[in-house]
Amino acid sequence: MNTNLTGLHHLTAITSSAPKIFDFMTEILGLHLIKKTVNQDDVRTYHLYFTDDMGTAGTDITFFDFPGIPQAIHGTNELNRTSFRIPNDKALDYWIQRFDQYKVRHGEIDERFGAKILYFYDFDGQNYQLISDEHNQGVPGGTPYRYSPVPAEFAIVGLGPEYITTDDPDNLGAVLVDLLEFEKVQKEGQFTLYELHQGGHGAQVIVDHQRFLNQAMQGYGGVHHLAFRTDDEKSLNYWIERISGRGFKDSGFVDRFYFKSEYFRPIPGLLFEIATDGPGFLLDETYEEAGVHLELPPFLEGDRASIEANLVPFNTVPNSPEATWVINKSFILTTALAG
């Protein structure tokens, strides 16, 4: 049994608007909304999963829209910036033009740890960066969404190094290295690069030492938690025992239906998750229907009426004519067979 963590699984952020983040992630970034569901711990809240074409682990950014939550205050001891991998340096020029076209705030092309990067922001001030895979090796990227408005040669293929601000880099570094088995790879000024088993951009975090910032406050425009990949339930149980055995406050085994999980706090203010690669997001619906309708895991299906009554409905049918045709064709065939 392989017990190693194999890379980044997903990152979950908080948005002020589910419809607006759907438009931003699909129409501007070109990602696939593969699952439209709810936060299983707060069913008043959407949980939207944006991925590559087939929902590959390591390509997921997900969003909650907690009712009434204030805007995030960025500071120390938070997951501060989310990276997306793109194929090469040339793709960054395409993205600058695209961001200008859609009036997305962005910085200039820069370089960190030998890779070209580009900072950008959404309507909530959420911090992102694009990172070029031109010189990257390790965990492979996913497959671009087949109905994406972004050409495949420039498309986002997965999550890249996730930034963590902290005023206690030694303690966080010890958790990463001694508990989770990251390697401390390189240091550039205030930034320290950690990597899982030579996995490259899809298996990295960057610790940003911030001594003078106030404590971050969670809210929309900020990140909720970061998840790392493990193969299956057997390897997850290994990590549950390892984490609880070190005295960390943890959740124990959690069944999220689409994957299995363990949550724990490595230092105050941060939430990490270990998540299995499967069973996957197409467990309960076809590819053609994925993300179009509200899907609920079986243990919430009996509460569907009350759950839907507390959610603001919005249309998540892709705008692509090809995607719409496939979805409509699937609906017609399904209806005909049922009749």
Side-chain angles (χ1 to χ4, degrees):
M1 178 180 69
N2 176 28
T3 59
N4 288 343
L5 299 179
T6 57
L8 306 172
H9 187 282
H10 69 268
L11 179 135
T12 296
I14 306 171
T15 182
S16 64
S17 169
K20 287 175 69 175
I21 203 64
F22 169 71
D23 289 342
F24 187 86
M25 287 288 148
T26 61
E27 295 305 309
I28 297 178
L29 298 192
L31 298 178
H32 183 193
L33 177 64
I34 203 161
K35 189 61 59 182
K36 179 182 183 180
T37 186
V38 294
N39 180 336
Q40 295 174 15
D41 301 318
D42 182 354
V43 296
R44 302 168 304 160
T45 301
Y46 278 112
H47 196 176
L48 307 177
Y49 290 80
F50 301 93
T51 68
D52 74 341
D53 190 56
M54 296 298 291
T56 308
T59 70
D60 317 14
I61 182 168
T62 88
F63 286 87
F64 299 142
D65 64 338
F66 294 114
I69 196 170
Q71 187 167 14
I73 300 175
H74 293 299
T76 194
N77 301 320
E78 71 163 347
L79 292 150
N80 179 264
R81 186 175 297 275
T82 302
S83 295
F84 296 107
R85 296 164 59 185
I86 56 173
N88 49 48
D89 293 354
K90 183 181 177 182
L92 289 169
D93 296 325
Y94 166 85
W95 281 100
I96 286 178
Q97 294 176 12
R98 186 168 184 83
F99 289 156
D100 288 343
Q101 176 187 353
Y102 285 94
K103 297 180 172 55
V104 174
R105 184 164 62 97
H106 65 84
E108 300 297 325
I109 295 173
D110 202 348
E111 184 171 320
R112 183 162 298 131
F113 298 115
K116 299 292 186 182
I117 61 172
L118 176 67
Y119 282 4
F120 69 102
Y121 310 85
D122 71 10
F123 51 89
D124 286 328
Q126 185 89 240
N127 298 324
Y128 306 101
Q129 77 168 18
L130 297 174
I131 184 166
S132 168
D133 268 356
E134 182 148 326
H135 305 293
N136 180 57
Q137 296 179 342
V139 176
T143 303
Y145 179 34
R146 69 191 71 176
Y147 301 124
S148 173
V150 177
E153 62 266 33
F154 306 126
I156 290 168
V157 295
L159 294 177
E162 303 304 325
Y163 286 69
I164 305 173
T165 58
T166 183
D167 55 8
D168 191 1
D170 292 338
N171 191 17
L172 179 57
V175 174
L176 292 171
V177 173
D178 298 337
L179 176 67
L180 301 181
E181 301 178 341
F182 277 81
E183 178 186 0
K184 185 177 179 179
V185 176
Q186 193 177 350
K187 185 175 174 60
E188 286 186 3
Q190 72 201 54
F191 301 105
T192 305
L193 177 66
Y194 291 85
E195 183 175 278
L196 281 166
H197 311 296
Q198 300 181 324
H201 291 161
Q204 294 176 342
V205 296
I206 294 172
V207 174
D208 178 1
H209 184 195
Q210 294 284 354
R211 292 181 294 170
F212 304 115
L213 293 180
N214 291 327
Q215 173 68 42
M217 298 294 290
Q218 198 168 82
Y220 69 82
V223 173
H224 189 271
H225 67 269
L226 173 62
F228 303 106
R229 295 172 65 177
T230 193
D231 284 351
D232 51 32
E233 193 170 326
K234 288 184 179 179
S235 57
L236 176 64
N237 286 330
Y238 164 84
W239 283 102
I240 291 172
E241 292 179 10
R242 183 178 173 92
I243 290 165
S244 61
R246 300 290 183 92
F248 288 94
K249 183 178 180 181
D250 72 314
S251 66
F253 180 84
V254 180
D255 185 351
R256 295 301 190 196
F257 188 61
Y258 306 110
F259 48 86
K260 322 296 183 184
S261 293
E262 150 83 337
Y263 300 83
F264 76 102
R265 294 199 176 275
I267 62 173
L270 295 183
L271 182 62
F272 282 172
E273 177 183 358
I274 312 294
T276 61
D277 278 1
F281 297 111
L282 299 180
L283 186 63
D284 55 353
E285 58 184 340
T286 65
Y287 174 89
E288 289 77 15
E289 292 289 327
V292 175
H293 309 292
L294 181 71
E295 288 295 323
L296 299 174
F299 47 85
L300 290 178
E301 191 60 53
D303 299 322
R304 176 176 287 274
S306 62
I307 289 171
E308 290 183 338
N310 285 295
L311 294 173
V312 177
F314 69 104
N315 180 22
T316 50
V317 174
N319 287 335
S320 158
E322 296 88 352
T324 303
W325 182 85
V326 170
I327 290 164
N328 287 340
K329 178 183 177 184
S330 173
F331 175 78
I332 291 168
L333 288 173
T334 303
T335 303
L337 290 172

